Amino acid sequence: MEGNAQTQDFSGYAGVDRQIVGAMWNPGRFYWVCVAVAGLGVLVGAVSWAWQIGVGLGVANITHPPMWGTYLINFVFWVGIAHSGTLISAILFLFRASWRTTISRASEAMTIFAVMIAGLFPLIHLGRVWVVYWILPYPNERNLWPNFQSPLVFDVIAISTYLTVSFLFWYTGMIPDLAAIRDRSTGLKNRIYGLLSLGWAGSEKSWKHYGTAYLFFAALATPLVISVHSVVSWDFALGITPGWHSTIFAPYFVAGAIHSGLAMVLLLLIPMRKIFHFENLLTLRVLEQIAKTIILTGLIVGYSYAVEHFLAWYSGDAAENDQFLFRMTGYYSWAFWFMIIGNAVVPIVLFFKRVRTCIPALFAVALIVQAGMWFERLVIIVGSQAHEYDPYSWGIYKYPSLIEWGIMIGSFSLFFFLFLLFAKFLPTISMTEVKEAIAHGESSGGGLHG
Amino acid sequence: MADRIAVIGSFAELRALVSAVEAFRREAIGIATVYSPFQSSEIREALGEPALGPGRFFTLAGGVTGILTGVFLAWYTAAQWRFIVGGKYPIPYVPTVIPAFEFFILLSIIFTLGGMLFLNRMPKKRLPKYYDGRFSQDRFGLVVYCADSDWGKISRMMTDLGAQEVLKVEE
């Protein structure tokens, strides 16, 4: 087995630090090429947004009735991506799934960056971004508060709670590793990591309090993961638009979010293990476990698609029936069929071990799932708005303008750019957890991937 | 000559450290602290410490505060708007669940973190006197206080139990 054999290469606990910290200090030339490409993309996004602010929201191809276009698609897409990080960290921690050890830190970072990018889209779509404070929950000039019983306020609270909790979970988990880096470095690095590690010394009392806190973090973050995308789904489900007004939305959105998040974890980890030479840590077995979870989420998503269509037919509601017929045969039918094939059919190939253990195939499946999930949001958000009750008000959002493309490219580039910066300055793999797994392996014969 | 000294043993293996802790406890020699590069249930069990620390009470306090905050905000904002609609409660209680839940999680987490920092006396500007940078990497540290006259006995014990280095630090 690749995983079990190669974990022996560490030559003790110091070897773990040497490999992970070494990868941070000397990431190699290919890393800098990736940084440059992502940086260029960020620049494209920034210029596009600046252009939109200067000229006005008219530069985007959005018009009545699908008034949000790609901006809301991207918002929901990035919130969805944010899901698997905390899922891997918290839920798998509670289930004591050892394969999470080497991927939890990178997945948590993915969560934080994805939520930050998701948070940009309401601002981008706002047009006049300088009046952003108007949408914050605080009393208006007539001293009235926004209603805390509205799904939109739920959304603000849920997403900001998720960002705060994910960040604190990520940072707290990193404190012992930051102390290890502090103790390996000198000069300015020593001072910066010393400051970030908050004076951590790793006494048994510190570990006890840390362990208690981490356990509660995981236990509290788990229901939060489920709640956040449920709340996002209620932004839609509490409206009366055909295609949105459905009780299946919360579990359907949560499953979809985890599906896309897991695919993004693969898209990040596969290049990362190559760039940083982490093949002995991010083993094929770890990738295979993620692939198996994608099979599960893919089946749930496929089942949700079937149930959604069954409910539309069974309800006998003419508008609802027409909406789902429009999805299958209307203007966005190509996106609909891509969504079905990409999200529910393609992941089935992962049942074959040969596909699960072939890295290019895994990468390709993850890419298809990612595109499929983006199209799912297009079908749900834009498709439903384009074909509501009154035929007089039907309308099509044809394609994104150059500015919308620029902003979309910018958002993806910013995500990868932030991730690359994270990989350069912070440990992408939890050193303490790997050491713990090695120690556990010594005593029980299990270990990192046991 | 100091009345009391600290003896610091540095161990390369977890198993050796755990046996040393058990041996010192059997001999009723007070252990000041144990340093480890990672969390270990073996060390905790050898020290006879409970699995959970008092940090959980901070979590509970945060949770209760969070629920009350969420319920208050939802009720207060609904009451302030005075949307009186026939057949509906002026302050509906079902949607209160969401703000209450979100604030429950948020404040529980913030209190948990605050509790951990408080109990560990963090952030700290200086590292403990007996701390060695290797304790965060590949070494385990065992600190024992004793009278200067016991230094020979304690250091011999540590070496016999697998310590790779034994240091004496005067208080």
Side-chain angles (χ1 to χ4, degrees):
Chain A
M1 285 286 290
E2 187 199 1
N4 290 330
Q6 288 187 344
T7 50
Q8 308 302 318
D9 295 349
F10 290 121
S11 61
Y13 306 124
V16 176
D17 291 351
R18 229 183 348 262
Q19 185 181 0
I20 297 171
V21 179
M24 280 166 63
W25 294 160
N26 305 300
R29 197 179 296 167
F30 186 63
Y31 168 86
W32 293 109
V33 173
C34 295
V35 170
V37 172
L40 195 69
V42 174
L43 206 64
V44 169
V47 170
S48 305
W49 190 11
W51 187 267
Q52 180 181 285
I53 290 171
V55 177
L57 208 52
V59 292
N61 265 356
I62 44 180
T63 181
H64 182 80
M67 285 304 295
W68 291 317
T70 55
Y71 295 152
L72 193 60
I73 298 172
N74 283 319
F75 169 76
V76 179
F77 176 80
W78 284 114
V79 176
I81 294 296
H83 261 68
S84 281
T86 308
L87 171 101
I88 287 170
S89 247
I91 300 180
L92 296 182
F93 174 79
L94 295 177
F95 280 109
R96 300 284 184 261
S98 61
W99 59 273
R100 72 174 272 288
T101 303
T102 52
I103 58 170
S104 58
R105 177 74 49 74
S107 313
E108 287 165 22
M110 175 190 86
T111 289
I112 294 160
F113 303 142
V115 180
M116 282 162 62
I117 290 161
L120 279 179
F121 279 96
L123 308 187
I124 292 168
H125 188 251
L126 202 63
R128 291 184 289 163
V129 70
W130 53 94
V131 291
V132 59
Y133 59 92
W134 287 6
I135 60 168
L136 295 178
Y138 72 108
N140 64 17
E141 60 192 20
R142 287 190 293 157
N143 215 22
L144 286 169
W145 278 75
N147 195 344
F148 268 70
Q149 303 196 344
S150 145
L152 292 177
V153 179
F154 294 167
D155 207 18
V156 174
I157 301 170
I159 289 179
S160 43
T161 299
Y162 191 55
L163 177 61
T164 313
V165 169
S166 301
F167 175 78
L168 294 179
F169 192 31
W170 177 66
Y171 179 65
T172 308
M174 214 158 32
I175 291 173
D177 283 354
L178 293 170
I181 301 175
R182 172 199 66 201
D183 295 336
R184 284 181 71 92
S185 55
T186 51
L188 186 65
K189 273 184 192 168
N190 176 274
R191 264 202 248 165
I192 293 170
Y193 287 104
L195 207 68
L196 291 173
S197 59
L198 308 175
W200 175 266
S203 69
E204 94 281 355
K205 281 197 177 58
S206 306
W207 279 117
K208 187 175 75 181
H209 299 315
Y210 171 89
T212 307
Y214 201 81
L215 181 69
F216 278 101
F217 271 32
L220 290 161
T222 301
L224 183 68
V225 173
I226 311 294
S227 84
V228 176
H229 223 60
S230 301
V231 168
V232 171
S233 82
W234 293 332
D235 282 346
F236 302 99
L238 268 71
I240 56 162
T241 303
W244 288 359
H245 195 55
S246 166
T247 47
I248 197 180
F249 255 44
Y252 169 31
F253 265 50
V254 170
I258 295 168
H259 196 43
S260 64
L262 287 168
M264 186 59 99
V265 170
L266 280 182
L267 291 181
L268 287 172
L269 293 187
I270 290 172
M272 191 174 109
R273 76 196 285 271
K274 198 82 196 154
I275 294 173
F276 295 108
H277 307 291
F278 281 157
E279 286 90 347
N280 59 333
L281 289 160
L282 301 169
T283 60
L284 211 48
R285 188 173 174 274
V286 171
L287 300 181
E288 212 188 328
Q289 297 294 342
I290 301 172
K292 284 180 185 170
T293 321
I294 289 179
I295 300 175
L296 174 71
T297 51
L299 290 174
I300 299 173
V301 166
Y303 174 74
S304 305
Y305 293 153
V307 169
E308 196 184 27
H309 285 73
F310 170 76
L311 288 177
W313 168 76
Y314 193 65
S315 69
D317 186 306
E320 196 76 11
N321 260 313
D322 197 46
Q323 170 63 236
F324 282 86
L325 203 63
F326 174 72
R327 281 189 188 178
M328 287 186 279
T329 57
Y331 187 80
Y332 303 110
S333 59
W334 59 274
F336 171 83
W337 291 110
F338 191 103
M339 160 191 117
I340 298 282
I341 293 166
N343 296 339
V345 180
V346 169
I348 290 172
V349 300
L350 296 173
F351 269 113
F352 299 101
K353 194 175 172 69
R354 196 185 287 179
V355 181
R356 283 202 310 267
T357 50
C358 169
I359 289 177
L362 270 181
F363 194 80
V365 170
L367 213 56
I368 292 169
V369 167
Q370 212 56 267
M373 287 309 298
W374 197 92
F375 286 127
E376 183 198 286
R377 276 65 182 245
L378 170 82
V379 168
I380 295 174
I381 299 165
V382 173
S384 301
Q385 279 189 319
H387 202 85
E388 284 200 49
Y389 294 98
D390 185 0
Y392 180 77
S393 63
W394 287 350
I396 296 294
Y397 169 77
K398 285 195 173 159
Y399 48 82
S401 70
L402 270 182
I403 294 297
E404 285 171 279
W405 273 113
I407 288 174
M408 193 150 48
I409 290 167
S411 77
F412 278 86
S413 303
L414 181 61
F415 175 75
F416 291 113
F417 187 71
L418 290 172
F419 193 84
L420 287 165
L421 289 186
F422 153 70
K424 174 80 185 86
F425 295 109
L426 296 168
T428 41
I429 293 175
S430 171
M431 300 189 288
T432 51
E433 286 190 36
V434 173
K435 288 176 198 170
E436 197 180 329
I438 291 173
H440 186 250
E442 280 170 4
S443 60
S444 70
L448 196 55
H449 309 287
Chain B
M1 201 168 73
D3 286 348
R4 198 172 77 145
I5 58 161
V7 182
I8 307 160
S10 170
F11 295 76
E13 284 182 21
L14 174 63
R15 239 171 292 172
L17 174 90
V18 171
S19 344
V21 170
E22 285 166 349
F24 277 96
R25 288 194 72 207
R26 264 197 311 272
E27 296 283 321
I29 298 168
I31 294 169
T33 191
V34 175
Y35 292 109
S36 160
F38 53 85
Q39 192 175 5
S40 161
S41 53
E42 287 91 340
I43 298 176
R44 181 180 52 73
E45 282 161 15
L47 285 164
E49 295 269 352
L52 288 179
R56 61 191 189 275
F57 297 110
F58 286 84
T59 312
L60 179 68
V64 172
T65 317
I67 291 175
L68 294 177
T69 309
V71 169
F72 169 76
L73 272 169
W75 284 13
Y76 173 73
T77 53
Q80 203 199 19
W81 277 89
R82 291 172 199 274
F83 277 150
I84 309 298
V85 178
K88 290 193 174 183
Y89 294 107
I91 303 175
Y93 55 87
V94 174
T96 301
V97 174
I98 312 289
F101 175 79
E102 298 295 339
F103 277 98
F104 158 67
I105 301 280
L106 181 66
L107 293 193
S108 297
I109 292 279
I110 291 173
F111 274 54
T112 304
L113 179 65
M116 187 201 84
L117 294 177
F118 172 74
L119 293 166
N120 283 338
R121 304 289 182 269
M122 284 163 68
K124 255 186 284 217
K125 211 174 170 189
R126 286 179 204 287
L127 289 167
K129 197 174 169 184
Y130 311 120
Y131 181 74
D132 182 320
R134 291 174 301 171
F135 294 157
S136 68
Q137 294 168 50
D138 59 346
R139 287 284 185 274
F140 301 87
L142 174 61
V143 183
V144 176
Y145 290 128
C146 63
D148 200 9
S149 53
D150 288 337
W151 150 248
K153 179 191 156 195
I154 301 286
S155 78
R156 215 172 18 256
M157 238 180 119
M158 283 211 187
T159 313
D160 291 348
L161 288 162
Q164 299 205 322
E165 254 177 53
V166 182
L167 289 175
K168 171 181 168 183
V169 179
E170 293 197 351
E171 278 286 272

